[in-house]
């Protein structure tokens, strides 16, 4: 157990270091929410180490202070950060105040305990843990699970808006929070003491290291989002114009039949800036480029598979005729959008 405590203590410094680096990198809302989330995770770990050690007996005046308030903020920060990634949210809105309701409810119901003198509060909490404090542990677990479900659903519904890299990052963030929420719910009901929560905080450190590793590996990730979207002056009218050009290029020119076709090639064909085309896919078309291309290729493939002129063509030849580079990619895309393999689709026609 002591080794785990030393590891967690080291993680606190890592958390503050990562949070500081994110904050000073850019003062955009997406950076601020992520920086604050990681900093609060570090501070929460510090509170755990304090509450589960001997220091709490020396300084009981800090017992239970900020523990619940900080934990109530984890879910809102994850959700708002997702909004920044998916909806290009730039600033907080009036409705975001509603995220603070659990904290207000907590202070209304438990504030009298927090305002007690230190030693008296520590004694009161120990004597009335099951009747007063445990309720707020369950409420915290419930709030975290609600946000875990909400963030998961929000990400799933908007998954096609994100590029592969941004989707990978968002999925990691949500999965880390969901795992933490499930574990805190389990421990709230079954843990025997504060020390049992050590593994919960170990999982939280994965969030810190995971985000830190991702950003070290992709140092320009957040900057690219800013460059592509936040600094873009592309209007709704311009995006609708580009969408119309995209649809025409796919319908009339069938540009997607080129096996080496890319978003860069499409941008050149349309004579539009690549990040404007990318933004149009994210904001207006609501589908990532690869899926959009593959859906059109699959429609061509379906026609070929039903066309007697192509009855002697092998599946791989059909794939190449439809714009795919290889049979494996074709099979995956066909199964994804049609729900069955090309071979089965052809046999059913017969």
């Amino acid at each position: 157990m002591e080794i785990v405590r030393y590891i967690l203590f080291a993680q606190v410094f890592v958390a503050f270091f990562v949070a500081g680096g994110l904050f000073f990198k850019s003062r955009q809302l997406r950076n601020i929410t992520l920086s604050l989330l990681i900093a609060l995770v570090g501070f929460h770990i510090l509170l755990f180490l304090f509450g589960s050690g001997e220091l709490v007996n020396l300084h009981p005046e800090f017992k239970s202070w900020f523990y619940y308030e900080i934990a109530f903020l984890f879910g809102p920060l994850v959700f708002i950060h997702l909004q920044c990634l998916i909806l290009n949210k730039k600033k907080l809105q009036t409705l975001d105040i509603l995220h603070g309701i659990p904290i207000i409810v907590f202070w209304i119901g438990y504030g009298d305990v927090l305002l007690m003198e230190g030693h008296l509060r520590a004694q009161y909490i120990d004597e009335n843990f099951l009747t007063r404090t445990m309720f707020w542990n369950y409420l915290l677990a419930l709030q975290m699970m609600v946000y875990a479900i909400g963030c998961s659903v929000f990400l799933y519904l908007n998954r096609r808006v994100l590029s592969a890299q941004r989707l990978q990052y968002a999925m990691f963030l949500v999965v880390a929070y969901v795992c933490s929420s499930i574990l805190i719910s389990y421990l709230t009901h079954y843990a025997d003491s504060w020390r049992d929560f050590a593994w919960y905080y170990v999982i939280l450190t994965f969030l810190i290291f995971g985000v830190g590793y991702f950003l070290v590996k992709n140092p320009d990730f957040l900057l690219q989002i800013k460059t592509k979207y936040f600094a873009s002056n592309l209007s709704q009218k311009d995006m609708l114009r580009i969408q119309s050009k995209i649809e025409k290029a796919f319908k009339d020119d069938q540009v997607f039949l080129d096996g080496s076709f890319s978003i860069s090639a499409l941008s050149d064909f349309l004579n539009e800036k690549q990040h404007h085309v990318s933004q149009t896919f994210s904001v207006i078309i609501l589908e990532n480029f690869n899926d959009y291309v593959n859906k059109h290729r699959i429609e061509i493939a379906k026609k070929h598979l039903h066309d007697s002129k192509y009855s002697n063509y092998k599946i791989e030849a059909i794939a190449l005729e439809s714009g795919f580079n290889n049979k494996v990619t074709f099979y995956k895309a066909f199964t994804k959008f049609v729900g069955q393999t090309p071979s089965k689709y052809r046999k059913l026609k017969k």
Side-chain angles (χ1 to χ4, degrees), residues 18-67:
V18 173
L22 287 170
F23 180 77
F24 289 108
K25 182 181 179 68
S26 174
R27 300 297 175 85
Q28 298 290 337
L29 182 60
R30 68 192 181 284
N31 277 60
I32 293 174
T33 51
L34 184 59
S35 173
L36 188 57
L37 172 64
I38 293 177
L40 289 180
V41 167
F43 192 40
H44 209 248
I45 295 173
L46 201 59
L47 290 176
F48 164 74
L49 293 173
F50 169 78
S52 60
E54 298 298 326
L55 277 175
V56 71
N57 298 320
L58 298 175
H59 299 282
E61 63 271 19
F62 298 116
K63 186 178 179 68
S64 293
W65 270 94
F66 304 116
Y67 179 82

Side-chain angles (χ1 to χ4, degrees), residues 153-169:
V153 172
F154 180 68
L155 178 58
Y156 177 78
L157 293 177
N158 294 279
R159 66 193 185 282
R160 297 187 184 279
V161 177
L162 297 172
S163 65
Q165 187 184 47
R166 292 171 72 188
L167 180 60
Q168 180 186 15
Y169 168 78

Side-chain angles (χ1 to χ4, degrees), residues 59-87:
H59 299 282
E61 63 271 19
F62 298 116
K63 186 178 179 68
S64 293
W65 270 94
F66 304 116
Y67 179 82
Y68 293 95
E69 296 92 328
I70 289 175
F72 278 132
L73 289 173
F74 290 161
L77 286 171
V78 172
F79 183 71
I80 293 173
H81 186 65
L82 286 177
Q83 287 181 308
C84 293
L85 288 174
I86 296 171
L87 304 179

Side-chain angles (χ1 to χ4, degrees), residues 287-303:
E287 193 167 15
N288 68 57
F289 174 76
N290 288 333
D291 281 348
Y292 190 82
V293 169
N294 285 341
K295 280 175 64 175
H296 283 79
R297 288 173 172 171
I298 292 302
E299 288 304 312
I300 296 295
K302 287 165 64 177
K303 291 179 182 179

Side-chain angles (χ1 to χ4, degrees), residues 207-253:
L207 172 65
I208 299 170
F209 275 114
V211 172
Y213 171 78
F214 188 91
L215 295 178
V216 167
K217 188 177 179 181
N218 305 279
D220 295 326
F221 173 69
L222 293 175
L223 182 60
Q224 288 170 357
I225 296 175
K226 176 183 176 182
T227 302
K228 284 187 175 182
Y229 303 117
F230 287 90
S232 174
N233 58 359
L234 193 64
S235 67
Q236 184 86 358
K237 184 178 179 180
D238 287 331
M239 285 188 283
L240 290 173
R241 175 182 57 78
I242 294 174
Q243 180 191 22
S244 178
K245 292 175 69 174
I246 292 172
E247 291 174 348
K248 184 178 184 302
F250 275 70
K251 181 180 179 180
D252 298 340
D253 301 296

